Amino acid sequence: VAHAALRLLSPFLDATHHAAVPNLLLVAADEPAANALEAAGLAHYRLSGAVQGTAKWLAARDVLAVGCAALLVEPSVALLQNPFHYLFRDSDVETMSLTSKENARLLRGRVVGIDDAAMGWSRYAQTMSVAMASSSVCYLSATHEAYHLAQDLASSSPNKAEDAFNQHIFMPAGDGVTSPGRHCF
């Protein structure tokens, strides 16, 4: 939670309680947020040196580093039910697709061919193209690939974190570049 998002915290906590979410770790992205959480008597994890836009990835990296999976939920998301009941837990990353009613046909995506000459005999690959994935609700399994995803996004430009997220999860792996397995809902 950044100081600017504190107004969303009370409705978020109410929704989380109503949805019976069993585990919750609040992350304070800046000093004013940490002070507000302490004043409210809420336990939290304080990130030092976090930049708005990449703080959740720093927190995810730290949680994954100790071998725990992480469900990242931004305070602007209203949880109506416990999201843990809807996870498959069969991939490194589970996230949701963003699309409009008009573009609903893109929700399932399409196969796109990639020609990477640097790959030699295995230069041809296929990947999936979807409208866009959102990291507003994102489950990361405790895997090496998910950790590296969080590490890369924590060091990305704060203004481009969502684009970098999409690029990381949908581009195929090759030449030492890992790509986490994913499931979009």
Side-chain angles (χ1 to χ4, degrees), residues 10-169:
S10 182
F12 175 78
L13 291 173
D14 290 344
T16 303
H17 178 72
H18 179 58
V21 175
N23 302 314
L24 180 66
L25 173 64
L26 295 173
V27 178
D30 53 33
E31 196 63 38
N35 293 339
L37 292 172
E38 283 179 26
L42 297 170
H44 62 280
Y45 173 65
R46 169 71 172 105
L47 285 173
S48 48
V51 177
Q52 178 114 14
T54 61
K56 71 179 176 183
W57 299 111
L58 285 168
R61 180 202 62 196
D62 292 350
V63 169
L64 293 168
V66 296
C68 295
L71 176 66
L72 306 177
V73 181
E74 293 184 2
S76 59
V77 173
L79 296 175
L80 301 178
Q81 296 180 9
N82 185 343
F84 290 100
H85 296 301
Y86 299 95
L87 296 173
F88 290 96
R89 294 181 178 91
D90 63 348
S91 59
D92 300 318
V93 178
E94 292 186 53
T95 187
M96 60 184 196
S97 294
L98 290 179
T99 191
S100 64
K101 258 182 150 176
E102 297 80 32
N103 292 325
R105 61 183 169 75
L106 296 175
L107 186 59
R108 290 207 169 101
R110 66 184 194 282
V111 176
V112 177
I114 303 289
D115 180 2
D116 185 359
M119 293 292 289
W121 65 268
S122 63
R123 67 187 281 172
Y124 301 106
Q126 291 183 335
T127 189
M128 189 73 179
S129 175
V130 295
M132 186 165 175
S134 172
S135 63
S136 296
V137 179
C138 178
Y139 176 78
L140 301 171
S141 295
T143 64
H144 187 69
E145 291 78 12
Y147 172 83
H148 282 290
L149 171 70
Q151 176 68 35
D152 289 347
L153 294 175
S155 61
S156 69
S157 168
N159 298 333
K160 304 213 182 243
E162 195 72 18
D163 292 338
F165 173 74
N166 277 276
Q167 183 175 357
H168 275 68
I169 64 170

